[in-house]
Amino acid sequence: MNQQGTEIRELQTSDSPVSPKVNLTSKENRVITFFKDATPLDWEDWRWQLRNRIRTKDVLSKIITLTPEEEAGVDGCSDKLTMSIPPYFASLMDPEDPNCPIRKQSVPLAAELKESPHEMKDPCGEDANSPVHGLVHRYPDRVLFLVNEMCAMYCRYCTRSRMVGDGERTLNTATYEAAFDYIRSNKKIRDVLISGGDPLTLSDRVLEYIIKTLKAIAHVEFVRIGTRIPVTLPQRVTTELVTMFKKYSPIWMSIHFNHPKEVTKRVKFACDLLADSGIPMGSQTVLLKGINDKVSVMKKLMHELLKIRVRPYYIYQCDPILGSEHFRTPVSVGINIVEKLRGHTTGYAVPTFVIDGPGGGGKIPLSPNYVVSYEKGKATLRNYAGKIFTYYDPPQ
Ligand code: SF4
């Protein structure tokens, strides 16, 4: 285990309030100095990170040199999707390079204030498929349970920008109970995806109440959590949290990763804690122009994920949310990325490329076409290198 990881584990399991051994990286040390009286122990505390999220131009401009385009974005974003960046995630930003992939995902730009044709407020049609507040029921055997409206960092391309960041409400118990009742009374529901907002911004106590209640429903056989926190605020993954998860095993986790720069030692440590606790992890990646739309970047990300025991699962075409044009790529870019991964690297490193059918069509997989022709029981196929092969069906 790396030196940093060892130190964090000692801190989290120690009864002593202060570990003198906590070492921050040079980038973290640079950022913590902008927070008066903050200590390395504060930096390791996820609640301190949440309380001190960067939400104003004043604070942000101390950490990075803002461009006019970013200044206009920060000034105008509050009516749309507020800005929020944990100090840890801000420490990954290049202070001088506006093309830094971390910066482009988290700092608003003036471009997001412009709406383009075919963009929508609710591109996945979730509200139209919501039988009770907080639940989206699109497929017969599974539901999406949106348990809160707060995230650590507001991704500038967020599909749920219509609901997250707005007052950061947590649903009340009555709303949760109505959702549980709906799930209880629909015996076909075997799979619940807990998402939000980001569920890991909730306390362990509230999370346990949600998980425990779901696990007590006999027909719910599969519970998963969708989160970006292990990436934007890895301090949140504590021994206490994973110990609680372990009680309700199996719990699966889908983690939103977009760039290899996000896979830091802290993130590796968080994923080690999760994996060592028996939590299978898959990744979800949004394809974003100028951030991860190059084959080399995406391949590197997938390799880094395998190294931290996260199985690449989905690459999403960026949803046509209002103000997303500057993030969106042609569909062909995603297909080409998959083409350049499949056969060219480990199969485990090849996620499925999907588009959420705009307006509520659900996930539609897209793949390069390897079938040259298929007729009269004869399939002519090309392999990853372009060589042609023939497969004959058995007699029918
Ligand atoms: S973490 Fe997810 S829900 Fe939250 S802002 Fe990012 S994309 Fe949206």
Side-chain angles (χ1 to χ4, degrees):
M1 180 178 297
N2 64 66
Q3 182 69 12
Q4 184 187 37
T6 307
E7 288 161 3
I8 297 168
R9 189 187 292 278
E10 284 171 2
L11 179 68
Q12 288 170 332
T13 55
S14 169
D15 290 336
S16 152
V18 177
S19 165
K21 291 186 186 170
V22 175
N23 285 331
L24 305 192
T25 67
S26 57
K27 289 177 180 175
E28 290 172 335
N29 266 321
R30 176 183 165 271
V31 170
I32 198 174
T33 57
F34 298 115
F35 296 86
K36 192 168 179 295
D37 300 331
T39 66
L41 189 68
D42 291 328
W43 190 267
E44 304 302 332
D45 178 351
W46 67 274
R47 292 180 187 279
W48 181 91
Q49 290 276 343
L50 272 187
R51 276 198 306 276
N52 287 282
R53 286 172 296 157
I54 296 153
R55 311 206 68 178
T56 65
K57 188 166 81 176
D58 200 31
V59 179
L60 184 63
S61 62
K62 292 184 179 131
I63 295 170
I64 59 173
T65 307
L66 286 167
T67 65
E69 167 86 350
E70 288 171 327
E71 284 207 42
V74 177
D75 286 340
C77 72
S78 57
D79 291 341
K80 203 168 162 281
L81 175 63
T82 56
M83 178 178 72
S84 165
I85 312 169
Y88 159 76
F89 204 62
S91 75
L92 305 183
M93 296 194 294
D94 186 316
E96 302 303 332
D97 180 8
N99 288 318
C100 162
I102 304 296
R103 193 162 153 167
K104 286 176 95 165
Q105 294 181 65
S106 46
V107 177
L109 292 179
E112 72 182 58
L113 309 176
K114 176 183 141 248
E115 295 174 9
S116 302
H118 312 298
E119 292 182 342
M120 297 173 230
K121 195 171 177 191
D122 178 15
C124 297
E126 291 179 336
D127 293 344
N129 286 289
S130 180
V132 297
H133 187 57
L135 277 189
V136 179
H137 194 183
R138 192 194 320 278
Y139 307 99
D141 73 336
R142 52 206 187 273
V143 285
L144 172 62
F145 189 5
L146 305 175
V147 296
N148 68 346
E149 300 179 354
M150 175 180 173
C151 305
M153 194 274 276
Y154 291 121
C155 313
R156 305 319 305 171
Y157 48 83
C158 176
T159 299
R160 301 204 181 106
S161 56
R162 71 186 186 284
M163 56 175 274
V164 299
D166 178 18
E168 302 196 333
R169 288 163 295 177
T170 296
L171 307 195
N172 60 32
T173 311
T175 313
Y176 284 147
E177 289 300 330
F180 295 140
D181 284 345
Y182 180 87
I183 296 168
R184 276 189 204 104
S185 63
N186 282 270
K187 296 212 167 13
K188 284 188 180 158
I189 297 172
R190 44 164 286 283
D191 172 1
V192 180
L193 168 57
I194 301 170
S195 185
D198 197 315
L200 294 195
T201 57
L202 298 174
S203 67
D204 291 3
R205 187 183 59 78
V206 174
L207 267 176
E208 181 162 14
Y209 151 67
I210 294 168
I211 294 168
K212 188 177 182 180
T213 310
L214 290 172
K215 286 277 183 171
I217 301 172
H219 53 272
V220 173
E221 57 189 53
F222 191 59
V223 171
R224 28 181 188 148
I225 296 175
T227 175
R228 185 147 165 71
I229 288 263
V231 178
T232 56
L233 181 47
Q235 290 91 334
R236 173 67 184 98
V237 182
T238 61
T239 48
E240 291 77 12
L241 180 73
V242 297
T243 302
M244 185 273 283
F245 284 160
K246 249 176 153 169
K247 287 199 280 181
Y248 301 99
S249 179
I251 290 177
W252 290 58
M253 192 169 273
S254 296
I255 307 177
H256 178 166
F257 279 95
N258 286 338
H259 195 275
K261 223 178 144 179
E262 296 171 348
V263 187
T264 64
K265 285 181 179 172
R266 276 183 195 282
V267 170
K268 178 183 184 311
F269 181 74
C271 290
D272 277 349
L273 268 182
L274 291 162
D276 291 348
S277 304
I279 297 165
M281 293 175 286
S283 69
Q284 303 194 318
T285 296
V286 181
L287 182 55
L288 298 165
K289 193 196 288 183
I291 293 174
N292 58 16
D293 57 343
K294 285 197 167 64
V295 174
S296 57
V297 172
M298 203 61 99
K299 189 190 266 188
K300 170 91 174 144
L301 173 61
M302 299 309 152
H303 289 172
E304 291 301 316
L305 293 177
L306 287 185
K307 281 155 65 179
I308 60 170
R309 291 182 278 176
V310 177
R311 163 73 156 102
Y313 180 40
Y314 279 134
I315 294 176
Y316 287 98
Q317 177 73 5
C318 183
D319 290 322
I321 190 76
L322 300 176
S324 64
E325 191 178 86
H326 59 299
F327 280 123
R328 287 188 284 119
T329 53
V331 171
S332 57
V333 171
I335 295 174
N336 182 54
I337 286 173
V338 175
E339 170 120 42
K340 296 287 165 35
L341 292 177
R342 174 64 64 200
H344 297 272
T345 190
T346 318
Y348 276 120
V350 186
T352 304
F353 175 48
V354 292
I355 294 186
D356 250 306
K363 289 183 189 65
I364 301 169
L366 295 171
S367 156
N369 186 7
Y370 296 102
V371 180
V372 178
S373 66
Y374 180 37
E375 52 190 348
K376 295 180 182 160
K378 178 183 171 189
T380 305
L381 312 166
R382 73 175 173 90
N383 76 354
Y384 77 99
K387 289 192 176 159
I388 301 296
F389 298 85
T390 304
Y391 183 90
Y392 292 97
D393 287 342
Q396 298 299 305

